[in-house]
Amino acid sequence: LRELWVELGERRYAICIGRGLLVRAADLLSPFLNPSSSLLVVSNPAVAELYAGAVESSLAAAGYKYGLALVPDGEEAKTLSVLAGLYDRAFEAGLDRRSAVLALGGGVVGDVAGFLAATYMRGVTYAQLPTTLLAQVDSSVGGKVAVNLPHGKNLVGAFYQPRLVVVDLNTLATLPAREWRCGLAEVVKYGVIWDEGLFELLESQVGLLARYAAPCLPEAGSPAPGLAARSLDSGTVSLLEEIVWCCCRIKAEVVARDEREEEGLRMILNFGHTVGHAVEALTGYTAFRHGEAVAIGMAAEGRLAVAMGMWPPQELARLERLLSAFSLPTRLPPELSPDAVLEAMHRDKKAVGGTLTVVLPRRLGEVTVVRDVPEERVKEVLEESRS
Ligand SMILES: NC(=O)c1ccc[n+]([C@@H]2O[C@H](COP(=O)([O-])OP(=O)(O)OC[C@H]3O[C@@H](n4cnc5c(N)ncnc54)[C@H](O)[C@@H]3O)[C@@H](O)[C@H]2O)c1
């Protein structure tokens, strides 16, 4: 078990990373749980089938009262109506102000369960038990919780920090290939924005990691646990532990220094996201998963940095090679016109006062937030980026 901390004064919390931690959930969480109040485990059917048993038996063995609430699989779970159902479940399960919510699943479950915790009875304790690579390296840390509105993603939410994040690497054994790809896109992002060593580690282990991301593995649903589990040997788990630890350390530091994205530092986590969000929105959130759109975005924003003379082209080539090795897309779909992408970039909720702000690399491991990026340049690069 490796532990690191998100330093937020009296709200500081630990991220525990290791194997087989779900069966120890009650033990790890006991400092934050009130033995006489009920708990609510929030998950979805696919994840619950694989992993709720481990958490439930740990809670039951320790004598905790708990309920299990399931939300639909996928982004549909992040709606106000699903949230309303969760408030009912919380009430039925007897949650009170000293209760806790445990979010067991990917980023979707983490976001909606976190928002439930932030708002039920003006806020109850919660912990994140992330089961996708993306959630383990990104969404479970930092306290951004939200649901979507028909007008857009994450429009109703809060900054509400968990009390603990428990990363059980064993859960990655069942992750579908496409979800590996999406998680790896965010991992690559950390390498570019902060940690050249992490980027080099990914390059040196590309063959091993690419096996999990390869499209020939099952794409959707919950594959038989034995299938991928066979290939998560202890060498791979050590590598994953190192990778997840590096990413969480970066996210923890950025969040500790700029919790509410007010100082500008947290914005660096948006590398690849300005173009990425535009691509997701223009394709109706169906053609690409978030990580895939971010991969397209990182390549496009990388090209912009090169075009602006800020970034050596050899480093862009390394980024593109790594993304391609993970079977991630690096080109914009040809049907998206640069004008439409540019307009969507302006609509992104992070655009401020009509000017385009983009996070651009200077060298591997370092980025800068560039305001007032010349639109013509962006358009040219978007045109070049179409496949
Ligand atoms: N709060 C934040 O800071 C933050 C950051 C990034 C993304 N997000 C949000 O995260 C969401 C995406 O999260 P995600 O990529 O984890 O997607 P997800 O939660 O939809 O999970 C992806 C799929 O994998 C399945 N799954 C999860 N764990 C599994 C496992 N161990 N084995 C087999 N299948 C498993 C899920 O059932 C789902 O079908 C988006 O809604 C995004 O907005 C939030």
Side-chain angles (χ1 to χ4, degrees):
L1 170 91
R2 279 173 90 175
E3 198 178 69
L4 59 97
W5 289 81
V6 184
E7 295 294 351
L8 288 168
E10 52 189 35
R11 290 175 301 121
R12 80 197 280 264
Y13 57 94
I15 306 168
C16 303
I17 303 168
R19 299 191 78 156
L21 299 189
L22 289 183
V23 292
R24 292 172 53 194
D27 180 28
L28 294 166
L29 286 159
S30 61
F32 316 107
L33 300 182
N34 173 14
S36 53
S37 297
S38 296
L39 304 166
L40 190 66
V41 180
V42 179
S43 193
N44 75 26
V47 176
E49 191 182 327
L50 294 162
Y51 302 111
V55 177
E56 288 179 302
S57 33
S58 160
L59 294 174
Y64 290 107
K65 290 173 283 169
Y66 63 87
L68 175 66
L70 298 183
V71 299
D73 200 344
E75 199 66 26
E76 310 82 275
K78 283 176 59 173
T79 60
L80 290 172
S81 63
V82 169
L83 183 68
L86 284 177
Y87 291 133
D88 287 340
R89 282 292 293 125
F91 187 81
E92 287 156 15
L95 263 66
D96 60 36
R97 294 185 64 185
R98 301 180 64 206
S99 290
V101 168
L102 310 186
L104 173 68
V108 162
V109 167
D111 278 12
V112 67
F115 191 66
L116 165 76
T119 48
Y120 189 69
M121 296 196 170
R122 298 201 179 89
V124 296
T125 294
Y126 82 112
Q128 293 276 8
L129 315 177
T131 63
T132 61
L133 182 59
L134 181 133
Q136 295 183 351
V137 300
D138 187 1
S139 62
S140 65
V141 177
K144 278 192 184 177
V145 294
V147 294
N148 305 328
L149 292 181
H151 314 290
K153 277 193 67 171
N154 300 325
L155 289 182
V156 180
F159 286 97
Y160 190 68
Q161 302 293 341
R163 293 296 295 273
L164 186 70
V165 180
V166 178
V167 177
D168 186 342
L169 298 166
N170 284 355
T171 59
L172 298 178
T174 51
L175 201 64
R178 194 169 187 188
E179 305 307 331
W180 272 97
R181 296 203 277 283
C182 293
L184 285 168
E186 297 286 353
V187 172
V188 170
K189 179 193 79 178
Y190 285 111
V192 177
I193 65 168
W194 196 277
D195 189 345
E196 187 179 14
L198 171 62
F199 194 92
E200 286 166 352
L201 177 67
L202 297 173
E203 287 182 320
S204 70
Q205 300 294 335
V206 68
L208 198 158
L209 293 166
R211 282 202 328 236
Y212 298 98
C216 56
L217 280 175
E219 289 289 343
S222 44
L227 178 74
R230 277 200 301 274
S231 48
L232 261 197
D233 55 75
S234 66
T236 307
V237 177
S238 305
L239 172 65
L240 289 170
E241 185 175 295
E242 183 62 23
I243 289 172
V244 172
W245 193 84
C246 281
C247 296
C248 287
R249 187 177 47 84
I250 298 166
K251 180 105 189 225
E253 176 147 0
V254 170
V255 168
R257 279 161 54 180
D258 184 19
E259 184 184 2
R260 302 174 71 95
E261 215 166 306
E262 286 159 348
E263 313 293 325
L265 181 65
R266 198 165 172 167
M267 271 178 74
I268 69 171
L269 299 172
N270 289 327
F271 171 55
H273 286 59
T274 313
V275 172
H277 282 154
V279 170
E280 277 184 288
L282 291 171
T283 51
Y285 297 96
T286 50
F288 298 103
R289 305 246 325 118
H290 178 68
E292 294 165 338
V294 168
I296 295 172
M298 287 192 288
E301 293 171 22
R303 279 178 216 119
L304 180 61
V306 170
M308 290 173 67
M310 288 176 52
W311 199 30
Q314 311 85 291
E315 294 198 346
L316 169 65
R318 283 170 68 188
L319 170 64
E320 291 187 295
R321 253 197 316 276
L322 193 55
L323 294 173
S324 301
F326 292 150
S327 306
L328 283 159
T330 57
R331 316 291 303 180
L332 284 161
E335 63 276 15
L336 294 189
S337 77
D339 283 322
V341 177
L342 197 61
E343 203 192 311
M345 287 166 73
H346 274 296
R347 275 199 306 268
D348 193 69
K349 69 178 183 313
K350 297 204 170 64
V352 180
T355 68
L356 266 188
T357 301
V358 186
V359 178
L360 298 178
R362 287 198 171 279
R363 58 171 194 83
L364 284 173
E366 189 187 326
V367 286
T368 11
V369 178
V370 182
R371 291 170 214 281
D372 289 324
V373 181
E375 294 206 359
E376 275 315 305
R377 202 34 92 64
V378 178
K379 246 200 262 185
E380 280 162 26
V381 167
L382 291 171
E383 186 61 62
E384 277 165 31
S385 299
R386 291 158 86 188
S387 44

